[in-house]
Amino acid sequence: MGSRRCFSAVSGVSVVVLAISIVALLNADVALCGCSYKRIFAFGDSLIDTGNLLYSIGNSASPIKELPYGMTFFKHPNGRVTDGRVVVDFYAEALGLPLLPPSIPEEASGQFPNGANFAVAGAIALPPEYYKTNYNFTMNAPSDLDRQLASFKKVLARIAPGDGATRALLSESLVLMGEIGGNDYNFWFIDPRNPRETPEKYLPDVVTCIGATVQEVINLGARTIVVPGNFPIGCLPAYLSAHESKVTDDYDELHCLKWYNEFSQKHNLALRQEVVRLRSQNPGVKIVYADYYSAAMQFVQKPQAYGIADPLVACCGGNGPYHSGACNNKTKLWGSPDRFANWDGLHMTEKAYKIVADGVLDGPFADTPLRHLC
């Protein structure tokens, strides 16, 4: 079990008035500006997992082991919980690096010359025992930030032994801290019988846990960390189906669930405040907030501009109004994935991930352009 580092609650989180200049984070030609990032280390969940869960489940059956998962880019299942690439793949390509390998298969032996991905599909930020102790709620999560950080430290101790070597390696690396924390809410919200106000109580602890992990990575020697916010969960087909309402006021003008999007924005505001605090305590360290919420809202607000027919329905799923339901090799595909923003009710299509990545790589959805950090 991981440490109890993530158990501490936020105390006295001050409300910070943020004047955020929304600008570009990365660029496909980033190598031309002399960036020295030689590798990426990533933490997170299914939104960026590149094969850790697939490896961990071994011979157990899973839909992600079969088509249509992986059908678009790789042409075969590859551990990504979508039809093709995920957002971290586009970041790696932009930096001129190979696609990030999952860490777990080679944790004990891999040299990871271009970095490693510690993200695991289904991961949460806080340890599962936090929820059992405080809310008598079982989070059946295969990973959390404590465990991912422990694995990260184990790998660093092997590939760059000694404080000096570790700091030198991390100083030329980009660290991606998520998106993480979304499943801490998803596992609660997805059952409509659970009181929806409860996650507001533990939201501060989720954000504190993310911030504590960022600080530990900085203490190890990281100099550039990207901290993404949460997506607009009120626009997800799984949420729209589970929380379908006959009350018109429950929906916004885009037909997303207002309360759940407002919750995502509360998480993101608290996370931005945490980033501001971390910056003040770590002068000289580049901590970039990536606005995934606004990046994703692009194809909800103007889907036709991206060739998306309906951003609120899944490509792979059931017969309901949002096509929500299991996605597997027997499930109906409702068309080509490049006409959809959502893949399986909870996860985006490769096309949508590219839109999000482009919004961060080329602007305007990051508060500091990585290009300017070169």
Side-chain angles (χ1 to χ4, degrees):
M1 189 58 63
S3 73
R4 298 177 64 85
R5 172 188 61 83
C6 281
F7 272 74
S8 60
V10 170
S11 59
V13 177
S14 60
V15 177
V16 180
V17 179
L18 299 174
I20 296 174
S21 173
I22 305 298
V23 286
L25 169 62
L26 294 169
N27 185 274
D29 298 321
V30 71
L32 298 178
C33 71
C35 273
S36 58
Y37 302 122
K38 296 181 179 178
R39 56 190 68 78
I40 300 174
F41 292 107
F43 302 80
D45 55 28
S46 58
L47 300 178
I48 63 167
D49 185 0
T50 54
N52 279 320
L53 181 66
L54 182 69
Y55 179 83
S56 298
I57 60 180
N59 294 325
S60 300
S62 172
I64 68 171
K65 289 185 173 184
E66 304 170 335
L67 291 170
Y69 285 91
M71 63 178 282
T72 298
F73 181 80
F74 301 96
K75 310 301 181 186
H76 60 83
N78 56 82
R80 291 161 176 82
V81 191
T82 183
D83 62 301
R85 288 165 290 183
V86 292
V87 68
V88 70
D89 294 320
F90 295 109
Y91 294 162
E93 290 175 352
L95 287 172
L97 297 172
L99 300 187
L100 214 55
S103 63
I104 294 176
E106 297 186 59
E107 181 186 62
S109 59
Q111 291 303 304
F112 302 116
N114 302 116
N117 191 352
F118 295 84
V120 182
I124 55 181
L126 289 159
E129 62 265 31
Y130 168 92
Y131 294 102
K132 192 66 176 176
T133 300
N134 291 283
Y135 298 98
N136 195 30
F137 184 75
T138 300
M139 290 261 187
N140 290 315
S143 180
D144 56 67
L145 273 179
D146 271 352
R147 281 182 271 184
Q148 291 182 29
L149 183 64
S151 179
F152 179 59
K153 290 178 176 178
K154 180 178 178 181
V155 167
L156 286 177
R158 183 171 50 75
I159 67 174
D163 184 67
T166 296
R167 289 184 175 280
L169 181 143
L170 288 179
S171 69
E172 57 186 22
S173 302
L174 176 69
V175 176
L176 181 63
M177 191 57 64
E179 184 271 345
I180 186 70
N183 285 329
D184 294 68
Y185 311 130
N186 290 337
F187 290 152
W188 183 278
F189 282 143
I190 209 64
D191 185 345
R193 295 170 298 180
N194 291 333
R196 69 181 186 182
E197 293 77 19
T198 300
E200 292 185 305
K201 298 177 182 178
Y202 62 74
L203 182 157
D205 286 2
V206 171
V207 171
T208 293
C209 185
I210 296 169
T213 308
V214 171
Q215 186 62 60
E216 289 217 27
V217 171
I218 291 171
N219 294 344
L220 290 168
R223 308 303 293 169
T224 307
I225 304 100
V226 179
V227 184
N230 210 339
F231 289 103
I233 59 175
C235 300
L236 293 176
Y239 275 75
L240 289 163
S241 179
H243 302 284
E244 192 170 5
S245 172
K246 297 185 183 301
V247 179
T248 303
D249 285 347
D250 286 344
Y251 298 89
D252 63 20
E253 69 280 3
L254 300 170
H255 308 292
C256 298
L257 289 162
K258 286 193 292 190
W259 191 93
Y260 291 96
N261 275 357
E262 288 169 359
F263 179 87
S264 292
Q265 291 172 313
K266 288 178 183 177
H267 168 91
N268 292 340
L269 176 59
L271 188 61
R272 288 183 184 217
Q273 293 172 356
E274 181 69 0
V275 166
V276 170
R277 186 190 67 81
L278 287 165
R279 286 174 182 156
S280 69
Q281 293 190 352
N282 298 278
V285 177
K286 306 155 189 173
I287 308 174
V288 177
Y289 178 79
D291 186 2
Y292 281 9
Y293 185 100
S294 296
M297 286 302 293
Q298 292 179 102
F299 48 77
V300 178
Q301 293 166 338
K302 45 183 180 179
Q304 291 77 17
Y306 299 97
I308 293 170
D310 186 342
L312 305 184
V313 301
C315 176
C316 179
N319 291 316
Y322 302 104
H323 304 169
S324 186
C327 175
N328 54 47
N329 62 0
K330 298 180 175 62
T331 302
K332 178 177 180 178
L333 286 182
W334 291 85
S336 174
D338 66 4
R339 294 284 293 162
F340 290 82
N342 191 277
W343 170 244
D344 61 2
L346 281 172
H347 306 95
M348 297 181 185
T349 58
E350 176 184 273
K351 176 165 187 172
Y353 282 131
K354 186 176 189 305
I355 294 169
V356 170
D358 286 346
V360 176
L361 291 167
D362 304 315
F365 300 112
D367 64 2
T368 306
L370 198 60
R371 181 205 302 271
H372 291 182
L373 302 176
C374 297

